Amino acid sequence: MIIQKQKDLETIKKSLGEFNKVFIVGCADCATACKTGGEEELAAMKTALEAAGKTVTGTSVFDTACLLGEVRKKIAENQAAIDAADAVLIMACGSGVQAVGDYLENKPVIPGVDALFIGEVLRAGKYEEKCQACGECILDLTDGICPLTRCAKGLLNGPCGGYKNGKCEIDPDKDCAWVLIYKRLKERGHIDKMRQIMAAKDNSKVHRPRRLVWERPQKVGEKK
Ligand code: SF4
Ligand code: SF4
């Protein structure tokens, strides 16, 4: 899940500037789960923008705002209302903003949301970063706890000397990721994994922008 937060209204109004007629897009996936761009949030944004003197020509929650087939379909369904707008406000992550922007000719797209990280939804309003999409997952070696993301220093071989009572020296409110890894490996009888030295990450795997192209669906066990 792409964890995100809504920009504050003043920032959105500033980004809209002289664009007085606005179409608002949301997303039924991450943006709805994070309460940044579902039906409820779009209705609230419409009310707020109208109170600020804007005209909202329409709203639509796309099933998945970064899925190009869905974007094309929803834009076609809402074409008249989008044509009537000066700009389109996207209440979804930056991938959604760019997907919609790629399909709209001569129509500015305005982000209404800040994408923050890939994480878990603990409950509505409580989210935790769990993965940096490093391109080379090593969770098998740590029994499912990512040191790259959950250790404040991103140590692949830990812990450092700073943890105290199981907490991180950088932020004592947070558990030391390597203490968690140690406990889990021990409980599950895999403590031998802790003795292995992990090799440095191959940073060539994160050259941006990253792309993945399949000529055909991937088969189980196939090398990429
Ligand atoms: S090692 Fe961590 S950052 Fe890399 S893919 Fe796995 S969970 Fe994500
Ligand atoms: S105390 Fe633990 S989580 Fe914090 S930086 Fe050191 S190894 Fe990482």
Side-chain angles (χ1 to χ4, degrees), residues 151-153 155 159-160 162-163 167-170 176-178:
C151 164
K153 297 175 188 169
L155 296 179
C160 71
Y163 74 90
K167 299 292 180 186
C168 176
E169 70 168 343
I170 306 293
C176 166
W178 274 105

Side-chain angles (χ1 to χ4, degrees), residues 120-200:
E120 274 176 16
V121 182
L122 306 183
R123 59 166 168 73
K126 191 167 182 189
Y127 312 97
E128 274 184 6
E129 186 175 20
K130 289 290 162 73
C131 174
Q132 295 178 25
C134 73
E136 199 178 38
C137 195
I138 45 127
L139 289 179
D140 54 319
L141 301 176
T142 57
D143 268 18
I145 297 172
C146 177
L148 214 59
T149 310
R150 294 172 68 180
C151 164
K153 297 175 188 169
L155 296 179
L156 286 177
N157 296 285
C160 71
Y163 74 90
K164 199 171 172 192
N165 300 325
K167 299 292 180 186
C168 176
E169 70 168 343
I170 306 293
D171 183 349
D173 287 338
K174 293 194 178 132
D175 293 326
C176 166
W178 274 105
V179 170
L180 293 178
I181 292 168
Y182 170 78
K183 282 186 184 162
R184 186 174 287 182
L185 290 174
K186 197 169 173 209
E187 274 164 21
R188 298 182 183 182
H190 304 149
I191 199 65
D192 53 308
K193 290 183 184 174
M194 193 90 186
R195 298 191 184 95
Q196 296 173 31
I197 304 293
M198 270 197 251

Side-chain angles (χ1 to χ4, degrees), residues 29-48:
D29 279 342
C30 309
T32 292
C34 291
K35 298 198 141 306
T36 54
E39 297 287 357
E40 212 178 296
E41 293 74 37
L42 261 59
M45 183 56 67
K46 178 176 185 292
T47 303

